[in-house]
Amino acid sequence: MLAFEDIAAPAQPDPNEVVVRVTRRMVHPIDDLMVRGYIPAPIPAEGTVPGGDGVGVVEQVGPGVDAVSGIKPGQRVMLFPAQGTWAERVVAPAMAIIPVPDDVDDATACQIAINGITAIVLMRAALAASGGGPLLVTAAGSSVGRNLIALAQMRGAKAVGLVRSDAGAAILAPSVPGVSVVSSEHEGWAAKVTAAAGQAPAVAIDPIGGEMSPQLLNLLADGGTLLTYGGMDARSSAISTISLTVRQQTLKGLNAYGWLASTPAQRAADIADLFELARRAPQNFAEYSEFAFNDAVNALSAAHVTPRRGATILTSEA
């Protein structure tokens, strides 16, 4: 059950903590899976506040927060990872606070927080596994999918986008010039992907799972890698380990939280790349739907609409 209610204001921040007034936060399909109990993480009996990312303004800074970091009251920042951003104010560790440049607006910064970081983690893994071969991006019309395509273009990699419908392909194609977009609405889509890529893709990047996973493994080249970062189709995947073994393929799960294991220098470089992506591909962040803070149920529904038309954002800004 999802309920809207008043809660106590955050306490004073402890050392190396920051209080942020959150103005916008993304609504992700995985948020709905969490609320419905599909995510293998128990929800306390007293309940919990959803949300792990967002953008807002620093209100208080606890002892020990390094002034050199630029984290100070009034500073506009992204939060990731933070617990409970579907609240007006949150206490977050200083390491989860990322200052936002003046030329990146709140709606764009909000979309970068998890979706951009997810995309850059996936792209690093994809390039390492591809050996220079083509990449297949499924759910290519989603925020992460669009970011993956933009990152592939920034890095000179060939990518093909796959969407679930002809309508979705018609929406996406004009915003990704030079990239082939294939619809899986009709039989024969796998052959179209191979033709568009010029060969069997070396890597597929997929958040759908379910029945799509074995189809993607069949499509991939021998030695290919399927990177998965979600389960929009909650059904089990019927994957043949015999085929996986004989074809020496790899199936690997990744998520944005794995990014935290990167070095501070790597994380700083990644964030700089994502802000540069926002400048080079503003169309990736221009189309979104905003819902009032007390309309989270409809926001969750909108996050599942097909074809996707940009991000879903929950705003508590007056």
Side-chain angles (χ1 to χ4, degrees), residues 13-278:
D14 287 333
N16 295 311
E17 288 186 339
V18 178
V19 175
V20 176
R21 175 174 58 84
V22 186
T23 56
R24 288 178 173 84
R25 69 285 287 157
M26 280 280 292
V27 178
H28 305 277
I30 198 169
D31 291 321
D32 188 42
L33 296 177
M34 187 276 287
V35 170
R36 294 177 184 275
Y38 287 108
I39 303 299
I43 296 175
E46 66 275 15
T48 190
V49 180
D53 65 334
V55 63
V57 178
V58 173
E59 289 195 334
Q60 299 180 69
V61 174
V65 176
D66 187 357
V68 176
S69 67
I71 302 173
K72 56 188 177 182
Q75 174 76 40
R76 198 164 56 97
V77 297
M78 298 189 323
L79 299 97
F80 178 77
Q83 173 58 45
T85 57
W86 289 22
E88 291 179 293
R89 286 171 174 80
V90 297
V91 178
M95 61 85 64
I97 305 299
I98 303 167
V100 178
D102 291 341
D103 64 340
V104 177
D105 63 33
D106 283 1
T108 298
C110 175
Q111 295 173 64
I112 286 174
I114 282 185
N115 285 348
I117 290 170
T118 298
I120 212 160
V121 167
L122 290 164
M123 184 53 58
R124 186 178 296 119
L127 294 177
S130 70
L135 314 178
L136 174 62
V137 178
T138 75
S142 68
S143 297
V144 173
R146 289 171 182 257
N147 289 340
L148 282 164
I149 290 171
L151 286 169
Q153 292 176 312
M154 286 173 63
R155 286 153 171 72
K158 182 167 187 175
V160 175
L162 183 68
V163 294
R164 287 185 283 181
S165 67
D166 294 345
I171 292 168
L172 177 62
S175 66
V176 288
V179 174
S180 297
V181 179
V182 176
S183 164
S184 62
E185 184 173 346
H186 309 288
E187 295 291 334
W189 62 266
K192 292 180 180 178
V193 167
T194 301
Q199 63 188 83
V203 175
I205 310 172
D206 175 63
I208 299 171
E211 294 181 352
M212 179 61 77
S213 294
Q215 295 179 63
L216 292 173
L217 287 167
N218 288 338
L219 169 61
L220 285 174
D222 288 354
T225 298
L226 172 57
L227 300 176
T228 177
Y229 63 102
M232 295 169 65
D233 181 348
R235 293 172 292 183
S236 298
S237 299
I239 293 172
S240 167
T241 55
I242 295 175
S243 176
L244 203 67
T245 301
V246 170
R247 301 185 62 200
Q248 300 186 76
Q249 292 178 320
T250 300
L251 172 62
K252 183 175 183 178
L254 291 168
N255 62 52
Y257 293 89
W259 177 76
L260 300 173
S262 305
T263 66
Q266 181 67 69
R267 294 198 301 272
D270 288 344
I271 292 299
D273 270 357
L274 290 174
F275 287 137
E276 182 59 24
L277 183 154

